Amino acid sequence: MAQSHQDSWSTALVVVAMDIGTAFSGYALSFVDLYLKKSINDVQARQWRSSAHTTGKTPTCVLCKPNKEFDSFGYDAENKFASLAEKEEHQGWYFFQNFKMRLYQEKNLDRNIELIDVSGTKRMPALDVFAMSIKFLKDDAIHQAQENKTGLSETDFYWILTVPAIWSDKSKQFMREAAEKAGIEPSQLRLALEPECASVFCREISIRRSTSNSGNGANFLPMESGTRYMVIDMGGGTIDVTVHETTSTGALKELHQASGGDWGATKVNEAFNSFMVKMFGVQVWKEFRETCMEDFFKFTRDFEQKKYVPPEDQVNIPMPVSLIDLHRKKEGCELEQTVASMPFPTDASVSYRRGKLTMNAAQFKERFFGECIKDILDHIKKILGEVPNLKRLLLVGGFSECSLVKNAIKREFPHYTITVPEEAATAVLRGAILYGRDPSVIKSRICKFTYGFDWSEEYNPMIHPRDKRIDTDDGPYCSDIFKKLVEVGQEVNVGHCSDETETFVTYKSQERIAFPFYKSTQKSPRFVTDEGCTHIGTLYMDVPYSREGVNRSVFIQVQFGGTEITAKVRDRTGHRVKSARFDLL
């Protein structure tokens, strides 16, 4: 008997979860022998070495040669580009960082969009840069796994690529195409929603610790059937929020559509960058970034560490000597004078002395963290007001380890049980492994939009507008009808299929049917031209010419509830079933 697709995942020799983050990226490995033993430690997260310390992720940056070929990724890319800059040999090279947010922010995303490198002048296709990132992690994971176990080949690996739940369907398809361009077979690739993965991992911790006598994690309360909780996945770029309820079978049911925004750790970095520009001026800060790149990377890494250390009464930020010298040269004065002349609040206690910028803790928090903390708290309040009987908040993701953010949430919601698991930074990767091997752990999801096709039906002058009439070889039809498949706010079980619909060709010579696909913020739009409707892609199906003329037809079912929308199409004979992928780009 042939092995089912799901069995192939649960028994795959190696499953790798990859996270291309806004600021940092990484992956985790799961070997089947440990997975089958239900070992909580079966997932091995890759550790990365920088010049000063070891981290669970490496910076999301890509360095390409002047001919646009891949050179390096992560810490290696940073260090090499800094070295090239010191020698003034970097002009023809391409250096990209923080590019993941483009897939969230781009309103008209397509597969041909380009990224601009740090110089602001050189461009490369975004699909190539994402594919290079994924291929680097893929090749590194294979190498690491083969060092652990001999005899592994590339066909023994299955891959999970995590994506934010608030991403559009277009962005998800973009990542899938990038992964396939990186050499991953479509049948061995799954996309997984980041906060869902974290939720799955926290559920697993709860189950295993509640049945363990070890006493570890006593503050991690078990999740009985009916437990409702919010997962707040705080990453570098986005804050992703999901709300789940545990069912009697242990699977998770979504209670509120995934939501969030771009309020992650990079917002703090942006505020810090703006502060540096205000202090040193645009030209000095720009020259520092371009000509003292090694110092710049070290400076930003030091600030990255400082974000996660609980501030005491005051925060000291060591300033690079090269930056101070540039300021003196360009401004003709000492930095002490510049800082003293800046219009800080009287209680801010911002000063510069002996190579360190000193700022009191309250000013540090408000200046760099104030905006993103407010956005996060406001959004949590909104969701809590919409979901009853919700008393538990789980904080995961690297940004959840920031004491300022974590403590702000605890202070704002004192009557809720708030938990940050010890494995918060790797919760998404660990949960992605569990989900990838067994996606049935998610029972249902809530539709974020109403989805449907641009449809035509026989024209009826009594009910159809005259301007929607089109004449075909089979008579007059009404066009632009929104054929609803699911609606916004609807709970759909994973694997849910719409009713099968038969559609005929419009013209005798037609050899392909195109099904324009739409989403809407309205529950029941009548036409695809109604307010709130957006064309997001097209489903194509070939219908070879035959003597049947306009009697040729296909049957369509659209599958919802998964991380991606898929379709099944069959011809009239019923013997030939075809899978069809939407082209959303």
Side-chain angles (χ1 to χ4, degrees), residues 546-553 572:
S546 74
R547 294 179 180 177
E548 290 183 287
V550 293
N551 290 321
R552 290 172 293 140
S553 66
R572 294 181 71 186

Side-chain angles (χ1 to χ4, degrees), residues 285-344:
W285 184 243
K286 182 175 184 291
E287 187 170 340
F288 172 64
R289 293 182 59 164
E290 293 177 355
T291 63
C292 307
M293 203 157 294
E294 188 171 354
D295 287 347
F296 171 73
F297 285 142
K298 184 180 185 305
F299 187 43
T300 52
R301 286 176 194 170
D302 288 345
F303 180 74
E304 191 71 32
Q305 295 297 312
K306 201 167 289 292
K307 288 193 312 191
Y308 296 91
V309 178
E312 298 177 351
D313 292 338
Q314 63 182 31
V315 179
N316 295 316
I317 303 174
M319 307 302 289
V321 173
S322 56
L323 179 57
I324 297 170
D325 290 343
L326 272 175
H327 170 270
R328 185 185 299 115
K329 176 183 174 183
K330 296 288 185 181
E331 302 298 327
C333 65
E334 296 300 322
L335 188 55
E336 289 94 332
Q337 296 170 270
T338 298
V339 173
S341 67
M342 292 181 71
F344 294 117

Side-chain angles (χ1 to χ4, degrees), residues 379-398:
H379 191 72
I380 294 173
K381 286 178 193 174
K382 178 177 179 293
I383 303 301
L384 290 174
E386 295 172 355
V387 182
N389 304 319
L390 202 165
K391 294 296 182 183
R392 300 177 65 175
L393 310 180
L394 301 179
L395 313 184
V396 298

Side-chain angles (χ1 to χ4, degrees), residues 84 140 237 297 388-389 569:
L84 288 166
D140 192 85
F297 285 142
N389 304 319
V569 182

